Amino acid sequence: MDWPDGADKLAESFAELSLERTITKGLKSAEEIDRLTVDEKLGDIERAVYLLSSGQEVQRISVIKSLPQLLRDHNADCMKRVVPKVKEVLHVAGSDVQVAATQAFLTIIENQIVSYPVFAQTFLQSMLQSIDNRDPAIAYSWLETLLEVISFLPKDIIKKEILTITISKGQLSQSVHSRLASCKILGRVATKFDSFMIKKEILPLVTSLCQDVDYEVRGCMCRQLDAVARGLGLESTKSAILPELVELSNDEESFVRLAALETVVSLLSLLDDETCVNTIIPLMCRFCENALQNEDPTLPSVAHQFGRLCHGLSVNLNEDQKIWFLDFYRRMCVLGLTEGKSKSSDRMTPNLLNIFEEEDSYAECRQCAGYNFPCMVLFAGPRNFKTELYSTFSSLCDDPHRLVRRTVACGFHEVAKLLGSSVLMIQQELINLLKDDSPEVLEGLVPHVPETLEMFAKGGGNVVTESKISGFGFDNLILCKRLTGLADLVPALMAAESQAACSRRWRLHRDLITQFECLPKCLTSDQIYYKFLPVLFKHLTTNRVLPVKLAAARTICVFIRHNRKLEQRQELCCRLIEECCHGNSSWKRILFMDICKILMEMFSKMFFKEYFYEFVLELAQDPVANVRLKFCHLLPALKKQIKLPTDRPLLQQLELMVRRLMAHEKDRDVAERIRHSVLELDKIQIGMDSGTNRFYMDDDLADQRKEEEERLLIELEEKEKEEAEKSMKNPSSAKVGGRKKSNEDGKLTKKGSKPAKSSNVSGKKAGQSNSNSSLLPGPPPHLSSSKGNKTMKSLSSAKSSKTGKNSPIGDASSLSSSSSIRPRSRGGSDGNIVGLKATPTRPRKGSDGSAAQATAHNVVKRLYNESTSGHSSKKSSSSSRKSSATTTSSASSTSTDGKPRRKISKS
């Protein structure tokens, strides 16, 4: 098309779009409407008969789909008048009507709407006739439905109605299509009869079909031998089935040999040790060797089934045979690779074969071998991994084909779990996969990043842990003081994040950021603070994809929750408020309310009310209507945070904001939303501060547990400071006391004893002052904005000076320079949660052996295409719940002189 013509047509199209006209395309004419109109006075049966006789195809499909319901409501009339019409229609109907009939018939037998004899007499006969339909798609649909129906029918009906027809269809005089259908039906009915019946009626035809002149029939019957063998039993299988399998495994057609290989692997669980040693092992060794030497088309299938084969024969192999199987596996993993070929050389000199990646059988073979690598680690034993499989694993991780590397990445976490304490051996391979320039490889690695990193954290011998807390809200949390092994993974994780951000796969980027929530279990607070948080804040404020921003916001909240340093926690909270709540863009302020939902879910109510509540209320007067609309949606959650009489001032402020919105709101959507929110607010019952534990509800217990966790985090931080001061005063004992300190921290949690007493922790009375002991992240000072029109919380000038120029999160000096130091505290002058005791609970114990055993079980299930069992759901320890139930939160809402604890000041 020439450009002038294209320009004219484009102008005409825009001109047509600008015209106001009625679109009539697709509407039915009056004649068509008359044909589709049915008299409303007709009953269900009369209407069904009328539509089946003279209706359109879409109407017939509707009647056939409603056939199960018609049989329930009008069984006798439907069987007498509707079902015969359905059978007449099926003789000349198209594929859509036939598919609808298959679904309706299957629903009838599944729900037993009619009895089995009635179903066999009326519906089963139509199914047996329809499997010979000339249309292959229709015939295949009816055959698959018949195979499903056989599972529900009793033995006598199958023998009388189905077996006779099946035997006749399996004769050599019948067509190939009929013999293929006979093979599939024989495999299904063999599970319904006993061994004697199978030998007498089925086995002769099975033997004949295994020797059929058509290779498709031989292959199809070979795939059904597993079901036939299980019906026959072991002895009959050894005498009748195994000879056929041996012959089929040597067939001239690769299609038949593939079927024989799959059947042998499926039968391993049925055969005894003698048969495996004398027949199966030599047969499979010869089969695999011939496939490798002849570069047979069956080689990818051999690689795919090799893990199940080794697992099934592992108990019957001697040492020489195990060595042979491992050597054969190693040869498959490097098949088609020339010496010195690597990813870098392959990318520097592109190979034309990469255009036809799907047809590269060598790459497919290596991919299938990589899929089976976890099972081969289990087969060789984790202790022999370095000598037997490490070089092969390194080669697979560095394979020139991206699909091979992706497959290995998908199973990397299973290999890490099987290696246990030796997992650091494959650290470089993990780094290479994280730095891979192919997004497909990263997609395979990302879903199991938490499991992989936790295994590296547990397996590193140079890890010095401060404490393991089971009642801290995250099971088996490892707070690392020095983690040199995982420090090497930080650049690789950052490279993976950069690769995901540069790609156009925002879902991959979102998933990776979400998986970063596991980093507090593996890295120190400083590593997270200086490396990851700047990147997350950048995505929070600049990324264009909303799911990525929400994932970054949630991960930031997790990092705040787990951060061990008060100054860093303060700066992170201050940055969230400054960047989002007081952001110059409306979408940032809307995002802040999404962040508040996350904070209310993750932190205690007291934390949220202390540091974010008043800033959310400011958004009720935002000049942008969408921000006010989002605030209206948040109102019910804000009311749920309030407890009386402690938070009466906050309740009054909330009610004041609602009244202002109802009185002065001019935007129609916001006004309607605020009316709906008021109705929801009236239904919410405000919580009460109770003096006895008998008034606690589930939400109160969960909130109490969060407060205890926040308190325990502060106590651990203060204990670290005290020990650091002692080591500074007595440097000679620092070397000796290093390991002792770790043991003391272990006693803190393992024995369940009370934490060490501190002069700054919850033992004080409400009147004593303490600037460091407060709810995470400490009492919030106020920041008055340089513009003078907003009031916000920020770091005090003393703590801002420490994190000013060196802060990686933002320009803290700009925040501290404009801040006025007006610290406030809740529940007393020291800002403590009075009455809360941090009682560490005993961590759940787990052994590496049990973890490895569970991993091995998952690997085996994965090989057999079964869904691996997920991780056990996290449960809170009973001692923690008991402590939460019996502890009374007596955080007062007034200061010592009886005044309210919060008064929001506006400039």
Side-chain angles (χ1 to χ4, degrees):
M1 181 176 66
D2 296 335
W3 169 247
D5 296 338
D8 294 340
K9 290 184 178 181
L10 186 63
E12 292 177 2
S13 300
F14 279 114
E16 290 178 0
L17 288 175
S18 63
L19 298 176
E20 293 185 2
R21 64 188 187 279
T22 304
I23 300 176
T24 59
K25 184 178 179 181
L27 298 180
K28 300 294 184 183
S29 63
E31 183 180 356
E32 291 175 328
I33 293 176
D34 291 339
R35 288 203 306 265
L36 294 172
T37 303
V38 181
D39 188 3
E40 296 181 357
K41 297 180 180 180
L42 295 177
D44 294 338
I45 300 298
E46 288 78 8
R47 184 186 297 110
V49 173
Y50 173 76
L51 293 177
L52 288 173
S53 302
S54 58
Q56 302 294 315
E57 183 176 5
V58 63
Q59 294 173 322
R60 293 178 179 177
I61 293 175
S62 176
V63 171
I64 292 176
K65 286 184 177 180
S66 63
L67 185 60
Q69 189 62 40
L70 290 175
L71 285 171
R72 289 192 186 97
D73 299 339
H74 315 281
N75 193 293
D77 291 341
C78 184
M79 290 295 298
K80 183 179 180 180
R81 302 178 60 186
V82 178
V83 173
K85 285 290 183 182
V86 171
K87 297 170 70 173
E88 291 178 8
V89 168
L90 290 179
H91 288 293
V92 294
S95 59
D96 294 337
V97 177
Q98 299 278 358
V99 171
T102 60
Q103 298 173 354
F105 287 7
L106 185 59
T107 303
I108 291 171
I109 189 64
E110 283 180 347
N111 299 327
Q112 296 184 2
I113 299 177
V114 297
S115 62
Y116 293 129
V118 173
F119 183 88
Q121 185 179 2
T122 55
F123 300 102
L124 186 59
Q125 297 301 322
S126 298
M127 298 176 68
L128 293 173
Q129 294 174 6
S130 299
I131 62 176
D132 293 328
N133 196 290
R134 294 181 179 181
D135 190 341
I138 296 176
Y140 176 80
S141 178
W142 279 109
L143 178 60
E144 293 298 317
T145 306
L146 177 62
L147 296 178
E148 294 291 332
V149 167
I150 290 174
S151 304
F152 298 97
L153 294 176
K155 186 190 305 182
D156 54 344
I157 293 179
I158 294 175
K159 182 179 178 180
K160 180 181 179 181
E161 303 291 343
I162 299 178
L163 186 58
T164 305
I165 299 177
T166 303
I167 294 175
S168 64
K169 287 180 176 293
Q171 301 304 316
L172 188 60
S173 58
Q174 297 291 328
S175 64
V176 174
H177 173 73
S178 296
R179 300 204 301 273
L180 289 174
S182 177
C183 293
K184 294 181 179 180
I185 297 174
L186 285 175
R188 186 58 60 95
V189 301
T191 58
K192 306 290 287 188
F193 298 119
D194 54 14
S195 176
F196 177 78
M197 181 65 185
I198 295 174
K199 287 180 184 179
K200 181 181 178 182
E201 300 289 344
I202 297 177
L203 190 57
L205 182 59
V206 168
T207 306
S208 174
L209 292 173
C210 286
Q211 301 173 2
D212 197 275
V213 294
D214 191 273
Y215 75 94
E216 292 185 0
V217 177
R218 297 198 303 272
C220 184
M221 191 65 251
C222 183
R223 284 189 165 87
Q224 308 301 324
L225 289 181
D226 180 24
V228 176
R230 296 186 184 279
L232 283 173
L234 177 59
E235 296 301 326
S236 300
T237 298
K238 291 165 62 176
S239 61
I241 301 299
L242 281 183
E244 297 295 336
L245 269 179
V246 173
E247 185 176 353
L248 291 171
S249 64
N250 296 319
D251 197 277
E252 59 184 4
E253 293 291 338
S254 60
F255 177 79
V256 181
R257 296 198 299 273
L258 281 176
L261 174 64
E262 296 174 3
T263 304
V264 168
V265 174
S266 301
L267 277 176
L268 290 179
S269 59
L270 176 66
L271 303 177
D272 57 359
D273 294 340
E274 181 183 358
T275 305
C276 290
V277 171
N278 298 331
T279 305
I280 300 300
I281 293 177
L283 176 65
M284 288 295 99
C285 290
R286 185 169 61 254
F287 187 96
C288 296
E289 194 65 41
N290 291 337
L292 186 61
Q293 289 180 358
N294 302 329
E295 297 183 357
D296 197 276
T298 61
L299 195 55
S301 182
V302 171
H304 183 72
Q305 300 288 341
F306 201 76
R308 294 177 60 188
L309 185 63
C310 292
H311 176 260
L313 296 176
S314 59
V315 295
N316 305 118
L317 296 175
N318 55 37
E319 291 300 324
D320 294 337
Q321 291 170 338
K322 284 186 177 180
I323 294 173
W324 185 91
F325 274 91
L326 286 173
D327 181 67
F328 183 84
Y329 177 76
R330 287 191 292 264
R331 285 188 286 169
M332 285 195 300
C333 290
V334 295
L335 192 64
L337 297 180
T338 59
E339 276 188 45
K341 186 175 181 181
S342 62
K343 287 192 299 182
S344 58
S345 64
D346 183 68
R347 290 163 186 166
M348 290 174 63
T349 59
N351 192 347
L352 293 178
L353 289 177
N354 290 336
I355 302 175
F356 310 100
E357 290 174 337
E358 290 78 12
E359 299 178 6
D360 190 354
S361 60
Y362 291 147
E364 184 183 358
C365 182
R366 298 196 304 273
Q367 182 183 0
C368 294
Y371 171 82
N372 285 297
F373 193 87
C375 185
M376 297 309 297
V377 175
L378 191 63
F379 176 73
R383 295 182 180 179
N384 301 324
F385 175 80
K386 186 174 182 180
T387 58
E388 300 291 344
L389 293 173
Y390 175 71
S391 59
T392 302
F393 185 67
S394 179
S395 174
L396 290 172
C397 292
D398 199 48
D399 194 274
H401 203 289
R402 70 178 188 276
L403 295 181
V404 178
R405 303 194 302 273
R406 173 190 168 86
T407 303
V408 178
C410 291
F412 194 95
H413 66 288
E414 295 178 350
V415 178
K417 290 179 181 179
L418 290 172
L419 291 179
S421 59
S422 304
V423 70
L424 293 181
M425 191 187 310
I426 59 173
Q427 177 174 310
Q428 187 59 44
E429 283 67 33
L430 178 59
I431 293 174
N432 294 340
L433 291 176
L434 286 170
K435 292 183 177 180
D436 198 288
D437 56 359
S438 177
E440 288 93 343
V441 178
L442 197 57
E443 284 179 348
L445 203 62
V446 163
H448 302 285
V449 162
E451 306 167 46
T452 306
L453 294 182
E454 288 177 24
M455 289 308 302
F456 274 88
K458 295 177 182 178
N462 51 3
V463 178
V464 182
T465 59
E466 293 172 346
S467 61
K468 297 182 180 180
I469 309 165
S470 62
F472 199 66
F474 13 82
D475 293 343
N476 298 326
L477 174 63
I478 303 177
L479 301 171
C480 302
K481 181 179 180 181
R482 182 173 60 90
L483 194 56
T484 58
L486 284 182
D488 298 335
L489 292 176
V490 172
L493 290 170
M494 298 303 299
E497 193 280 332
S498 177
Q499 170 69 18
C502 294
S503 66
R504 296 184 178 181
R505 310 186 182 194
W506 62 265
R507 292 179 180 83
L508 171 64
H509 192 201
R510 175 203 60 190
D511 294 341
L512 181 58
I513 291 177
T514 302
Q515 300 295 5
F516 280 169
E517 295 180 6
C518 73
L519 292 180
K521 302 180 182 180
C522 311
L523 300 177
T524 63
S525 298
D526 285 337
Q527 288 172 328
I528 295 173
Y529 182 77
Y530 288 103
K531 296 294 183 181
F532 293 92
L533 278 166
V535 178
L536 292 180
F537 269 104
K538 178 183 176 182
H539 290 306
L540 183 66
T541 55
T542 62
N543 200 289
R544 295 184 178 182
V545 183
L546 180 59
V548 174
K549 291 188 288 188
L550 293 176
R554 185 172 187 85
T555 305
I556 289 173
C557 293
V558 172
F559 288 166
I560 296 174
R561 174 76 167 159
H562 296 168
N563 194 285
R564 300 293 304 276
K565 295 189 177 181
L566 176 64
E567 297 172 357
Q568 295 178 2
R569 296 195 298 268
Q570 285 179 330
E571 185 171 353
L572 293 175
C573 291
C574 178
R575 180 71 186 277
L576 282 177
I577 296 172
E578 179 68 18
E579 292 290 334
C580 298
C581 181
H582 294 165
N584 54 2
S585 178
S586 61
W587 68 261
K588 290 184 179 179
R589 301 193 292 274
I590 293 175
L591 180 63
F592 178 74
M593 285 182 275
D594 291 324
I595 296 174
C596 288
K597 290 182 181 179
I598 300 173
L599 291 168
M600 286 186 282
E601 173 189 347
M602 197 174 298
F603 292 85
S604 64
K605 294 180 180 179
M606 185 167 291
F607 169 84
F608 181 79
K609 289 181 290 188
E610 188 70 46
Y611 302 104
F612 294 96
Y613 203 98
E614 71 173 26
F615 298 106
V616 183
L617 295 181
E618 291 177 3
L619 298 178
Q621 303 176 5
D622 196 276
V624 179
N626 285 339
V627 179
R628 301 195 302 273
L629 182 63
K630 184 73 173 182
F631 175 80
C632 295
H633 285 279
L634 194 65
L635 281 173
L638 291 176
K639 187 175 181 180
K640 291 179 181 179
Q641 301 295 309
I642 293 176
K643 285 186 177 182
L644 295 179
T646 307
D647 300 320
R648 190 174 298 279
L650 295 180
L651 179 61
Q652 293 174 355
Q653 294 174 22
L654 182 64
E655 293 175 349
L656 178 62
M657 293 298 177
V658 173
R659 292 194 195 99
R660 287 180 180 177
L661 285 173
M662 295 184 66
H664 303 291
E665 184 56 53
K666 298 180 180 180
D667 186 87
R668 181 179 60 185
D669 296 332
V670 180
E672 184 169 356
R673 181 64 239 182
I674 190 63
R675 288 194 292 269
H676 286 289
S677 297
V678 169
L679 297 178
E680 295 180 16
L681 290 174
D682 292 338
K683 298 177 182 179
I684 297 175
Q685 185 177 2
I686 301 178
M688 302 292 293
D689 281 334
S690 56
T692 59
N693 58 0
R694 60 194 177 98
F695 294 103
Y696 276 101
M697 305 298 290
D698 291 340
D699 293 341
D700 298 327
L701 294 176
D703 185 66
Q704 195 79 324
R705 187 163 55 250
K706 293 175 184 177
E707 291 182 2
E708 291 182 11
E709 293 164 1
E710 294 162 1
R711 166 67 57 208
L712 183 57
L713 184 63
I714 297 172
E715 293 178 357
L716 292 174
E717 181 182 5
E718 292 177 350
K719 186 174 182 180
E720 291 174 12
K721 291 181 180 180
E722 292 178 1
E723 293 175 350
E725 292 175 358
K726 291 180 182 178
S727 62
M728 292 293 292
K729 292 180 181 179
N730 189 10
S732 60
S733 62
K735 298 180 180 180
V736 181
R739 184 175 299 177
K740 184 177 179 181
K741 181 175 72 172
S742 175
N743 294 336
E744 290 176 356
D745 290 342
K747 293 179 180 179
L748 177 66
T749 58
K750 287 185 177 181
K751 294 186 177 181
S753 59
K754 295 182 179 180
K757 293 183 179 180
S758 174
S759 58
N760 297 327
V761 182
S762 74
K764 295 183 178 183
K765 296 181 180 179
Q768 295 174 339
S769 63
N770 179 17
S771 60
N772 291 332
S773 177
S774 62
L775 186 65
L776 172 72
H782 278 299
L783 267 182
S784 60
S785 175
S786 58
K787 297 181 181 179
N789 59 354
K790 290 184 179 181
T791 302
M792 67 168 294
K793 299 178 182 180
S794 74
L795 305 173
S796 64
S797 60
K799 292 178 179 177
S800 297
S801 62
K802 294 182 182 179
T803 59
K805 298 180 179 180
N806 297 328
S807 172
I809 303 303
D811 189 5
S813 60
S814 63
L815 300 178
S816 60
S817 61
S818 62
S819 62
S820 59
I821 308 174
R822 291 181 294 175
R824 306 183 202 176
S825 60
R826 305 184 65 139
S829 58
D830 61 346
N832 283 332
I833 306 175
V834 183
L836 291 183
K837 294 183 180 180
T839 307
T841 57
R842 184 181 300 274
R844 292 184 294 180
K845 297 182 180 179
S847 60
D848 295 339
S850 59
Q853 185 178 4
T855 305
H857 182 63
N858 290 338
V859 169
V860 173
K861 293 183 70 177
R862 174 171 168 260
L863 285 171
Y864 290 85
N865 297 325
E866 297 176 7
S867 59
T868 55
S869 59
H871 295 287
S872 58
S873 58
K874 298 182 179 180
K875 298 180 180 178
S876 302
S877 61
S878 58
S879 57
S880 176
R881 180 174 293 275
K882 184 177 180 180
S883 174
S884 301
T886 55
T887 309
T888 304
S889 175
S890 58
S892 62
S893 62
T894 58
S895 59
T896 54
D897 55 356
K899 297 179 180 180
R901 62 178 173 178
R902 174 169 292 284
K903 187 181 293 181
I904 298 179
S905 61
K906 299 289 181 181
S907 59

